[in-house]
Amino acid sequence: MRTVKVELAERSYPIFIGSNLLADKDLISRHLPQHRAAIVTDSVVAPLYLDAFAGALNDAGVEVIRMVIPAGEQHKDWQTLGSVFDSLIAHRCERKTALIALGGGVIGDLTGFAAATYLRGVPFIQIPTTLLAQVDSSVGGKTAVNHPRGKNLIGAFYQPLAVIADTATLATLPQREIGAGLAEVIKYGLIRDPAFFSWLEANIDALTRRDDDALGYAIQRSCENKAEVVAADEREETGIRAQLNLGHTFGHAIEVGTGYGSWLHGEAVAAGMVIAARVSRHMGLMGDDEVTRIVTLLKRAHLPVVAPDLGVDHYLDLMGLDKKVEGGKIRFILLRAIGSAFITAEVPQDAIAAALVESAHHG
Ligand code: NAD
Ligand code: GLY
C-alpha cells in the first residue's frame, strides 16, 4: 500500500492507495468516530461494490445506512442533495455519524457538500472508485453541486478524515472513464511537474491498458502533487491552487454548453487544456513543439482534443460565470512551458478567439 499525506495542520489526513483496500475493515473503521456510518453511492457503483464494502464494515461492528442516488453528472444537483438530507434525517443520523462517499467525483463532491452542511458538519470519508476521483477530486476538500447555469457553483471547502483509493475498483471502469482520469493526471505534469509529464509520455500505453504498477505510480504522483498544492493554498486564495484549474475554464463551458453528462468532465478538461495551450502560444509564451507534445499525449490517452464549436461569444458568456472571475474579469490559467502554469486576467480577446476557433477545427 502507498500512503500520501495531505498536510493541513489539524485538518491533515492520509490518502491510502492500494489493491483491495475496500475489504480492509480495520483501515476504514478506525477512522469512524462511532459504530454507525452512512454510505452514499450511485446506481452504477452500488451493484458492483456496495454489498462487499458494507459487509466489511458490518464485520468491523459498524451499522451501515445505505443511500443510492442516480449515477451521472446531471444528478449532481440541488434536488439529489435534498434527497440525501431527507435520508440522513429519516435515519436520525447524528453529529458523529460519518458520511462515506463510495464512487466517482460526482458522489465525492455531492456527499462532501452534504457532510459539510448537515448538522453544520459531520465526519466525512472519501472512497474514490474512478481514476479521476483517485487522482484528483477525492483530495483537497472541494465539495459542490452544479447549478443549471454553471459547474460547482454551490459548495464548500471541507476536508475528509481520510481517502481510501482501492485500485482494484478500476478494473470495472469503462475505458472512456480511464481516459477522463488520465486528463487530470496529465494536468499535474503540465502545471508543475515536467519530469512526470515525460514519464507519462513514456508510460501512457501502459496506463491506458491499466497496468497495475503504472497506475499505482501515476495515482501516487498525482496525489503528491495535489497534496503539495492544497497544503500551500487550501482555499484557493493565492493563485497557487487555481493552477489546478488548467483547462477547466474552457472545460466547464464545454460541459455546461453541451449539457451536463454529454462530455465527461475529464474529456472537457482535455480539450480545455489544448485551448489554454493554444492561447499561451498565441501570446508568445510557448512554442508550437510544446503544443504538439501536449496534443499528442492527450490523443494517445484517447482523449478528445477538438473542442465543440459553441461560438466564441457563447464560450465567453459561459466562462463569465467561472469561479475565478474577479472584478468582472475572467482569469485564465496559462502555460509558460510544459511544467509551468500561472494565472492571469491579462489575456487579449483575440488570443482567446483564435485559440477557440483553431481548437474547434484541429486536433
Ligand atoms: P462520475 O462520478 O460521474 O463517475 C463516472 C462514471 O463511472 C459514473 O457513471 C459512475 O457511476 C461510474 N463508476 C464509478 N466508479 C466505477 C467503477 N469502479 N466501475 C465502474 N463504473 C464506475 O465522474 P468522475 O469522472 O469520477 O468525476 C467527475 C466529477 O468530479 C465532476 O463533477 C467534476 O466536477 C468533479 N471534480 C471535482 C474535483 C474536486 O477537486 N472536488 C476535481 C476534479 C473533478
Ligand atoms: N480540481 C481543482 C482543485 O481541487 O482545486
Side-chain angles (χ1 to χ4, degrees):
M1 182 168 74
R2 302 163 191 258
T3 308
V4 177
K5 186 108 188 266
V6 183
E7 301 283 1
L8 287 169
E10 71 282 0
R11 291 183 308 290
S12 298
Y13 53 95
I15 305 166
F16 301 108
I17 303 158
S19 192
N20 293 315
L21 299 187
L22 277 187
D24 188 338
K25 59 185 171 49
D26 299 324
L27 181 68
I28 295 162
S29 62
R30 73 172 186 244
H31 294 285
L32 299 176
Q34 70 172 194
H35 291 293
R36 202 159 181 254
I39 303 174
V40 182
T41 190
D42 73 26
S43 51
V44 171
V45 178
L48 293 168
Y49 300 110
L50 185 54
D51 277 350
F53 178 52
L57 284 181
N58 290 155
D59 290 348
V62 178
E63 180 201 336
V64 170
I65 298 147
R66 300 168 179 226
M67 300 180 195
V68 181
I69 65 175
E73 187 72 41
Q74 61 276 30
H75 298 292
K76 187 179 154 182
D77 62 6
W78 198 248
Q79 192 189 340
T80 311
L81 179 70
S83 74
V84 170
F85 289 136
D86 291 346
S87 194
L88 289 168
I89 293 165
H91 286 96
R92 296 179 185 273
C93 292
E94 305 169 356
R95 278 227 166 105
K96 285 193 172 171
T97 310
L99 270 183
I100 303 177
L102 174 71
V106 167
I107 285 294
D109 280 13
L110 185 144
T111 308
F113 186 50
T117 47
Y118 180 64
L119 305 181
R120 301 201 181 93
V122 297
F124 173 45
I125 295 178
Q126 286 269 23
I127 316 269
T129 62
T130 62
L131 181 59
L132 184 139
Q134 295 187 356
V135 299
D136 190 352
S137 63
S138 65
V139 176
K142 275 191 182 175
T143 72
V145 292
N146 299 326
H147 185 273
R149 291 197 54 201
K151 278 274 298 184
N152 299 331
L153 293 188
I154 300 122
F157 287 99
Y158 195 67
Q159 302 294 343
L161 297 175
V163 178
I164 297 163
D166 183 344
T167 53
T169 60
L170 302 180
T172 50
L173 257 196
Q175 193 62 29
R176 198 175 155 200
E177 302 286 350
I178 294 285
L182 288 174
E184 303 279 17
V185 173
I186 292 167
K187 175 189 78 180
Y188 295 112
L190 282 174
I191 62 171
R192 69 192 306 272
D193 194 346
F196 187 42
F197 190 88
S198 300
W199 182 89
L200 288 168
E201 289 180 311
N203 289 279
I204 196 70
D205 298 336
L207 289 167
T208 57
R209 61 167 192 271
R210 305 179 206 207
D211 174 90
D212 270 351
D213 288 342
L215 275 178
Y217 177 73
I219 295 166
Q220 179 187 344
R221 192 70 206 121
S222 298
C223 289
E224 286 167 350
N225 269 301
K226 180 136 190 193
E228 282 172 25
V229 171
V230 169
D233 179 18
E234 182 185 6
R235 298 176 68 91
E236 205 166 300
E237 287 161 332
T238 66
I240 296 174
R241 183 165 185 169
Q243 293 178 15
L244 293 172
N245 255 252
L246 176 70
H248 285 58
T249 313
F250 299 106
H252 286 164
I254 294 172
E255 283 187 82
V256 180
T258 57
Y260 291 124
S262 162
W263 279 60
L264 300 182
H265 173 73
E267 293 173 340
V269 166
M273 290 193 298
V274 174
I275 303 170
R278 289 191 170 132
V279 173
S280 309
R281 193 198 59 209
H282 281 290
M283 289 173 66
L285 297 164
M286 269 200 332
D288 260 339
D289 47 344
E290 286 186 292
V291 177
T292 303
R293 267 179 82 189
I294 296 167
V295 170
T296 304
L297 183 58
L298 292 169
K299 276 183 174 169
R300 289 179 61 206
H302 310 301
L303 280 160
V305 290
V306 178
D309 190 359
L310 305 175
V312 173
D313 288 345
H314 193 31
Y315 266 104
L316 289 172
D317 183 47
L318 290 165
M319 292 190 299
L321 278 171
D322 188 88
K323 290 186 292 310
K324 292 183 295 303
V325 168
E326 208 170 83
K329 284 191 101 173
I330 306 171
R331 295 185 302 156
F332 291 90
I333 312 301
L334 300 181
L335 293 169
R336 283 194 194 89
I338 287 174
S340 176
F342 68 105
I343 182 165
T344 180
E346 305 310 316
V347 183
Q349 195 105 337
D350 55 355
I352 298 169
L356 282 170
V357 170
E358 193 180 344
S359 297
H361 296 100
H362 300 289

